[in-house]
Amino acid sequence: MRRNVLASPKRRRPFKGAKYGPGKGRPKRDGQYIDPAKFVNEAVPAPEQERFVPNHKFTDFGFMPELERNVVAKGYEHPTPVQDGAIKPVMEGKDMIGIANTGTGKTAAFLLPIIHRMKTHQQPGTALIIAPTRELAVQIDEEFRGFAKGLGLHSVLCLGGMNVRPQIKGLKRDPQVVIGTPGRLKDLFQQKALRLNRTGVVVLDEADRMLDMGFIKDITFLLDQLPKERQSLCFSATIPPQIGRLLDTMLKDPVTVSVRTRETADQVEQNVIKARSKEEKISVLRDLLRKPEFDKVLIFGRTKWSVQKLADTLKKSGIQAEAIHGNKSQPQRQRALKAFSSGKVNVLVATDVASRGLDIPDVSHVINFDQPNSHDDYIHRIGRTGRAGKGGHALTFVAG
Ligand code: AMP
């Protein structure tokens, strides 16, 4: 009989038989020790959300008519809390710290006022938007194109892992908006393809995610190239000390808008699966993925190599799976993401880095095939399921 044990969700104590403990420690490459009890949680129903009543309607912000039309075309009826709080100060040209997680509508909160100010000549110069991952940058660009439709504004994406030539070509056309990841933006600047001396507004999106990836140096380098007279906006779910220090130098008299919602983790049913070996993990995983309720599953692995290998193994067993990790080209990553988002494949295997900031609707389960490096990463991973107040499920393999 197979020995995998789904620990009782009610049990919050570390379960017996855990092979490691704070004293014993796990091998260093596994990252910091996380008490397996932290992987177990009985989901609580989402609190009866007080219906948010915005102080503003989109028509109150005084957007130019074409922009207002594009907002309506996107299907937005009422501002989300971050939009309600942030749009006005950004329209007034103020610096801002927006404390907001993904999925709160923060992209429109900065894009709409930026577009309006550019088109009405209140915003001199260009906009530079810095994002931690290629996927997030692509999402921002897609939103921008929707809002800027028919307004004669152009954007260029500057992303690592992609052919640099089209990006250089795009920059030669003097786009009003440049969206990119820190390393590639810095490269393009050093190659003299990207000019930053006319930047009128800079946005740092999901800043706390840049810290994770050691991007601080590249960002500081980029900020040093910008004119001192500019508008600066920063969005982040948390403000760890390093980001706090960066913001002190980046922003002038910022307005803070905080709409951070409670971590979704409480609404995610969390449990552990004990398995003794990798073979057992794969075998249990296959059985789970064949269950009808596992209809949109995001699986996390630790390394690029192991993520690819796991996706290949699952495919060989007839399970439609795609992989995203840093060794894939950007078009390959986008294709995999699209196939998963649209339901063409129902399993996506990913590394932490590749999954940052993704907004994929209706993920039924997150499975931690390999444990995350930190509890913070764990919360981030399982936040991919149970979004928008919906219940979700997270399972984590632990040594059995
Ligand atoms: P974001 O947090 O910017 O990634 O946005 C999350 C999702 O919410 C995106 O799919 C947006 O298109 C959508 N969204 C943003 N603002 C609104 C709004 N006011 N009404 C409806 N949907 C929105």
Side-chain angles (χ1 to χ4, degrees):
M1 201 183 84
R2 185 169 289 132
R3 259 192 4 84
N4 69 81
V5 183
L6 238 68
S8 152
K10 287 207 169 66
R11 180 150 38 160
R12 281 163 184 270
R13 286 172 286 119
F15 53 83
K16 287 194 188 102
K19 284 227 176 102
Y20 40 83
K24 296 168 197 161
R26 285 185 290 143
K28 213 169 178 189
R29 67 186 169 81
D30 285 356
Q32 80 185 52
Y33 170 79
I34 306 170
D35 186 339
K38 290 201 166 163
F39 300 140
V40 180
N41 173 60
E42 191 174 13
V44 295
E48 213 28 68
Q49 294 257 333
E50 272 177 45
R51 237 177 80 81
F52 169 70
V53 183
N55 290 319
H56 305 95
K57 297 193 280 293
F58 276 117
T59 45
D60 293 343
F61 296 120
F63 291 141
M64 56 190 305
E66 296 89 335
L67 184 55
E68 218 169 87
R69 263 206 299 280
N70 290 343
V71 172
V72 173
K74 273 284 257 181
Y76 294 5
E77 287 174 19
H78 307 287
T80 64
V82 68
Q83 292 161 4
D84 200 40
I87 289 176
K88 206 156 168 272
V90 182
M91 287 278 272
E92 287 165 2
K94 297 200 171 112
D95 281 8
M96 203 184 69
I97 303 176
I99 303 182
N101 348 38
T102 312
T104 51
K106 62 185 169 54
T107 316
F110 62 81
L111 283 180
L112 293 173
I114 287 177
I115 294 171
H116 174 84
R117 282 170 58 80
M118 279 186 159
K119 284 306 293 180
T120 52
H121 309 290
Q122 293 170 61
Q123 170 65 70
T126 57
L128 175 69
I129 301 173
I130 310 174
T133 63
R134 309 171 202 176
E135 281 77 12
L136 181 63
V138 169
Q139 282 176 19
I140 296 170
D141 190 49
E142 281 169 1
E143 291 253 312
F144 171 78
R145 283 163 194 259
F147 291 135
K149 211 169 173 185
L151 290 172
L153 293 176
H154 301 286
S155 61
V156 166
L157 271 171
C158 299
L159 311 177
M162 289 191 75
N163 187 348
V164 75
R165 287 188 189 286
Q167 298 175 9
I168 294 176
K169 220 167 140 190
L171 290 170
K172 281 204 175 117
R173 287 194 212 113
D174 279 332
Q176 293 90 344
V177 178
V178 174
I179 305 166
T181 47
R184 178 55 63 92
L185 288 168
K186 184 180 169 194
D187 284 352
L188 286 164
F189 175 82
Q190 287 174 326
Q191 289 181 38
K192 301 197 176 356
L194 171 65
R195 280 181 295 141
L196 293 172
N197 57 350
R198 290 196 310 118
T199 308
V201 55
V202 60
V203 182
L204 206 55
D205 198 13
E206 304 213 347
D208 50 352
R209 295 291 153 205
M210 313 233 205
L211 176 73
D212 296 351
M213 289 177 274
F215 279 159
I216 292 274
K217 267 194 186 157
D218 289 346
I219 295 165
T220 310
F221 174 90
L222 289 166
L223 293 176
D224 283 348
Q225 317 308 320
L226 303 180
K228 297 276 169 282
E229 276 308 310
R230 58 163 201 255
Q231 186 179 21
S232 306
L233 313 171
C234 174
F235 288 83
S236 198
T238 56
I239 309 285
Q242 267 173 288
I243 293 294
R245 283 193 290 277
L246 182 73
L247 297 190
D248 283 346
T249 56
M250 174 186 174
L251 305 164
K252 270 192 222 146
D253 302 324
V255 174
T256 301
V257 174
S258 177
V259 296
R260 193 159 185 270
T261 48
R262 205 153 68 99
E263 285 296 353
T264 48
D266 284 357
Q267 278 104 58
V268 177
E269 180 92 30
Q270 300 159 54
N271 212 338
V272 293
I273 311 170
K274 295 183 186 180
R276 275 196 228 151
S277 63
K278 196 166 163 208
E279 290 68 36
E280 193 179 354
K281 275 166 74 169
I282 291 176
S283 159
V284 174
L285 184 63
R286 277 200 205 105
D287 289 350
L288 290 174
L289 295 177
R290 292 196 172 112
K291 295 186 180 200
E293 65 271 27
F294 284 69
D295 62 349
K296 199 165 188 182
V297 185
L298 185 54
I299 301 174
F300 284 99
R302 191 174 301 118
T303 64
K304 301 168 193 175
W305 183 84
S306 65
V307 158
Q308 188 58 54
K309 181 128 192 290
L310 181 58
D312 293 343
T313 306
L314 293 174
K315 269 196 244 178
K316 276 193 201 129
S317 334
I319 294 165
Q320 294 296 316
E322 286 286 350
I324 56 167
H325 50 73
N327 276 357
K328 290 214 160 187
S329 69
Q330 184 58 21
Q332 284 172 325
R333 285 161 69 154
Q334 282 305 119
R335 265 202 301 280
L337 204 58
K338 214 169 183 170
F340 183 61
S341 293
S342 66
K344 208 167 133 210
V345 302
N346 52 4
V347 176
L348 184 68
V349 193
T351 53
D352 286 289
V353 169
S355 74
R356 296 279 183 224
L358 299 183
D359 185 27
I360 307 164
D362 303 323
V363 172
S364 65
H365 292 77
V366 166
I367 299 181
N368 295 305
F369 190 78
D370 294 320
Q371 288 185 18
N373 277 325
S374 65
H375 189 248
D376 211 38
D377 279 350
Y378 174 71
I379 295 294
H380 187 75
R381 283 182 179 187
I382 71 167
R384 311 292 99 190
T385 179
R387 312 202 81 176
K390 292 181 196 161
H393 303 267
L395 294 168
T396 302
F397 277 101
V398 297

